[in-house]
Amino acid sequence: MTENSVDEFLLGENETPNEDERVFNDEGIERVTGGLVTDWSPAATFDVLFQIAGLSRQADPSNIELHTFAYLACLMSIFRGRPASDWGYTFSAVPPTLPFSPAIESALADLIKGGFIEATVPPGPKNNTEVVLARHGITDRGRQELEIWRGLTMFSSRVAYLDAATKTAVFSSFPAVVNSLSYEPQLNAALLTDGPRMLLTSVTSAPLYEQFAALLEVLGSEHEELIVPASLYLNFLTQQAQEQLDQSLEVQGDET
Amino acid sequence: MSVSSLVAAFRKLSLESYEAAVYEIYGEAGIDALVGLLADVRNLLTHVPHEMLTQGLVVIAPVDPFVTTMAYDEGATIVQPAELAGRAVNALTVVVLNGGGYRVWLSNTVDVVSNGPILTYRYVHNVVEELVIEGTPWRINDTPWACKMAIPTFTELDDALIKYVAENRIPMQCEHLARTWRDGKRLAFVEKPERYMRRSLIWALKFALKDVTIRPEVGQGETKPVDVEITWLSIKRSAIIEVKWLGNSGPVGSSSFSTSYTQVRAVAGLKQLAGYLDIRDAVDSTTPVMGYLMVFDARRRSLTATQTIVDAEDGLFYAMSDPDYPADLLERADMGRPYRCFMEPICN
């Protein structure tokens, strides 16, 4: 892995857009695919290692949860005003798995193969009707590697976003974050239509940008850290879920 | 939503958020302290069962560990919460020490004095879970589970349903289920209680069941509505849960019940569920669907609408009385085990 390979796709640590110029509008994450293979990304490798180190303090995450928290980190990068195309890899909604990033999946496999991550499969399902996914913990070797990588310029600018996403889990539970984030406008649309789609494109991102503009207005542009915005956004999506649930219960009636 | 509605929604959430309050008062240092405190609480509660903490747990952390010191008498120092494992503890106070480790007391009434700002987590089982900021308590738990910092998580739906039934035998925590009762003694339901039961079950599973999405299902096309749909994220597979209730319901203060359901209602629910499964299979035979019945049972023997108290003999008469389900339905390959959540009344 070379530092230069993704330099052109990542803003430096001091390149966050001026708060007054934050417009939540860009050419969409599809621009990433122009110069970077979709199933391998050094940024994704760092993200997976960082997230597993952070999340496993609470519980060892599954690959599904890693995709979700990586997507949340990407959303926080967008909230900070960086274009989605700078994230370094893409996300898709491929129901029932959403969000999904081939780069995250590939990075996880490589990290397991390299001995940086340990995958543990919990005891099998009792009735063979459900799927039990592997949980992932970081090894000593992975921890040492992470310490080296997080000092690299190409990765250090990602830490604030990844940190906010993983630390937000302490206020809730992994399943709650996965369920709440499924009400993010693009994921919600994908789930309702049951169709695959690329996320964070120039076409699909408008509702997200509207939500982030409102969140920014409430918090104020001087708000520096990202844990509170991440938590409030998840709470907002939870509220959306609650409202959809109430509407559905009204439609269902009381005596089905 | 319009822009102004979005702003209003976020503003309301921000005002209700203890995370935002901590940031407002203490800035980034406060958020760091809060994340550390709750991580410590989560760790602690993996070793000390929250169900035993009937007197209370208090965990105190300084906002600025390099400046704030705390004064107290006695107590013992531990390096990690795992050292508390195995004890039957109903009261506990823990102070997070500046240099690492913890000072602990087997009491919830310890006098701790600090010379700087602190954050305090407080939990009393089935009574309160809150964060105290500058003397003001902020509610933490908005879930149907007893303790938000110790929500059990499951990879199997059956395990989650078993735990849900066990937690709600004495239904005190869940605010959704609390709205189902017609009276303070939990003798009968209000009218149309089913929506609160569905909401409780959906929210409980959202917080506890891993690697799935959980949504209410609304009938589309030929598919009749079921109450809860669970979709596994890693594979094309679903489960549906049909919710039914047993017991009596009616308006508050009325001299008669408007609806009364016996075990016949549960049996009808299982038949209805089997019908849903047949329809789902006909509509989409490529997605395996398992069916589950969840029965909320508040049957009380010989209950009248004007009754205000019940003794244990009548109140718990049906506690161990499962409906007699048809064997052919239970033996279906796509039929999961039916669950019954018997919700105990407050008996005299």
Side-chain angles (χ1 to χ4, degrees), chain A residues 97 135 172 231 252-253 256, chain B residues 19 42 198 211 217 233 244:
Chain A
T97 304
R135 307 287 144 185
S172 187
S231 179
Q252 283 181 349
T256 56
Chain B
E19 302 98 308
R42 284 184 176 279
R198 291 174 187 151
D211 307 321
E217 165 73 331
L233 292 168
K244 290 286 183 251

Side-chain angles (χ1 to χ4, degrees), chain A residues 58 60 62 64-65 96-97 124-133 135 167 169-173 175-176 178-179 182-183 188 191-192 210-211 214-215 217-218 223-225 227-228 231-233 235-236 238-242 244-246 248-256, chain B residues 1 6-7 9-11 13-14 17-20 23 28 31 34-35 38-39 42 148-149 153 155-159 192 194-195 198-199 202-203 206-218 226-227 231-237 242 244-245 261 265 272 276 290 292:
Chain A
Q58 188 166 328
D60 288 347
S62 69
I64 296 283
E65 289 159 347
T97 304
K126 290 188 266 296
N127 58 13
N128 202 32
T129 60
E130 297 161 24
V131 177
V132 177
L133 298 177
R135 307 287 144 185
K167 283 182 175 169
V170 81
F171 303 125
S172 187
S173 71
V178 169
N179 269 283
S182 74
Y183 285 84
N188 191 39
L191 205 59
L192 292 176
E210 282 180 13
Q211 292 174 350
L215 178 56
E217 184 175 331
V218 169
H223 191 106
E224 289 288 335
E225 63 83 48
I227 294 173
V228 170
S231 179
L232 282 180
Y233 188 58
N235 289 347
F236 170 77
T238 302
Q239 192 178 65
Q240 298 285 295
Q242 177 79 58
Q244 282 193 27
L245 170 60
D246 288 346
S248 299
L249 295 182
E250 287 299 321
V251 171
Q252 283 181 349
D254 288 285
E255 299 297 333
T256 56
Chain B
M1 285 177 89
L6 284 170
V7 171
F10 278 114
R11 182 156 289 130
L13 286 170
S14 179
S17 157
Y18 63 88
E19 302 98 308
Y23 181 83
E28 285 193 47
I31 292 296
L34 176 62
V35 169
L38 296 184
R42 284 184 176 279
K148 189 169 187 183
M149 290 299 121
T153 55
T155 54
E156 291 192 54
L157 176 56
D158 275 301
D159 291 340
K192 302 180 176 179
E194 207 163 87
R195 69 183 64 189
R198 291 174 187 151
R199 195 176 291 160
I202 287 172
W203 282 104
K206 274 177 185 283
F207 276 91
L209 191 57
K210 286 171 165 272
D211 307 321
V212 299
T213 57
I214 296 144
R215 296 193 171 210
E217 165 73 331
V218 177
V226 292
D227 293 318
T231 305
W232 271 259
L233 292 168
S234 57
I235 192 169
K236 208 169 172 59
R237 186 163 291 170
E242 177 64 20
K244 290 286 183 251
W245 60 268
Y261 286 134
R265 176 70 173 169
Q272 190 180 8
Y276 293 160
M290 285 291 290
Y292 292 84

Side-chain angles (χ1 to χ4, degrees), chain A residues 50-72:
Chain A
F50 186 99
Q51 286 189 106
I52 291 177
L55 293 171
S56 60
R57 291 189 202 113
Q58 188 166 328
D60 288 347
S62 69
N63 64 331
I64 296 283
E65 289 159 347
L66 288 170
H67 289 284
T68 296
F69 281 101
Y71 188 61
L72 179 58

Side-chain angles (χ1 to χ4, degrees), chain B residues 32-54:
Chain B
D32 289 343
L34 176 62
V35 169
L37 169 65
L38 296 184
D40 281 332
V41 168
R42 284 184 176 279
N43 188 6
L44 181 71
L45 291 173
T46 62
H47 304 290
V48 178
H50 66 274
E51 296 92 339
M52 289 186 179
L53 293 163
T54 50

Side-chain angles (χ1 to χ4, degrees), chain B residues 23-226:
Chain B
Y23 181 83
E24 184 72 25
I25 297 169
Y26 303 123
E28 285 193 47
I31 292 296
D32 289 343
L34 176 62
V35 169
L37 169 65
L38 296 184
D40 281 332
V41 168
R42 284 184 176 279
N43 188 6
L44 181 71
L45 291 173
T46 62
H47 304 290
V48 178
H50 66 274
E51 296 92 339
M52 289 186 179
L53 293 163
T54 50
Q55 294 299 307
L57 165 69
V58 177
V59 185
I60 303 168
V63 170
D64 186 343
F66 299 107
V67 173
T68 300
T69 57
M70 289 191 238
Y72 38 72
D73 291 326
E74 301 179 336
T77 298
I78 61 171
V79 176
Q80 51 192 349
E83 294 174 48
L84 294 169
R87 288 172 185 268
V89 176
N90 64 4
L92 187 65
T93 296
V94 178
V95 168
V96 180
L97 299 176
N98 296 353
Y102 310 87
R103 193 79 172 174
V104 300
W105 297 260
L106 298 181
S107 163
N108 62 320
T109 56
V110 178
D111 193 16
V112 177
V113 179
S114 73
N115 66 352
I118 56 171
L119 296 173
T120 303
Y121 168 87
R122 188 167 162 264
Y123 176 76
V124 182
H125 186 54
N126 276 338
V127 177
V128 70
E129 185 175 20
E130 62 190 16
L131 182 78
V132 182
I133 311 166
E134 297 265 287
T136 302
W138 290 72
R139 181 176 172 236
I140 281 185
N141 195 358
D142 52 358
T143 80
W145 299 100
C147 180
K148 189 169 187 183
M149 290 299 121
I151 290 176
T153 55
F154 305 95
T155 54
E156 291 192 54
L157 176 56
D158 275 301
D159 291 340
L161 294 175
I162 288 168
K163 182 67 175 173
Y164 177 82
V165 167
E167 279 226 353
N168 288 296
R169 179 175 62 84
I170 300 174
M172 291 178 67
Q173 159 57 32
C174 178
E175 65 179 24
H176 305 299
L177 290 183
R179 295 174 68 182
T180 63
W181 300 111
R182 180 176 178 263
D183 54 271
K185 298 283 188 181
R186 301 195 295 262
L187 301 182
F189 292 128
V190 293
E191 287 188 299
K192 302 180 176 179
E194 207 163 87
R195 69 183 64 189
Y196 304 117
M197 296 163 183
R198 291 174 187 151
R199 195 176 291 160
S200 170
L201 183 59
I202 287 172
W203 282 104
L205 293 176
K206 274 177 185 283
F207 276 91
L209 191 57
K210 286 171 165 272
D211 307 321
V212 299
T213 57
I214 296 144
R215 296 193 171 210
E217 165 73 331
V218 177
Q220 294 173 355
E222 294 179 72
T223 311
K224 289 181 182 176
V226 292

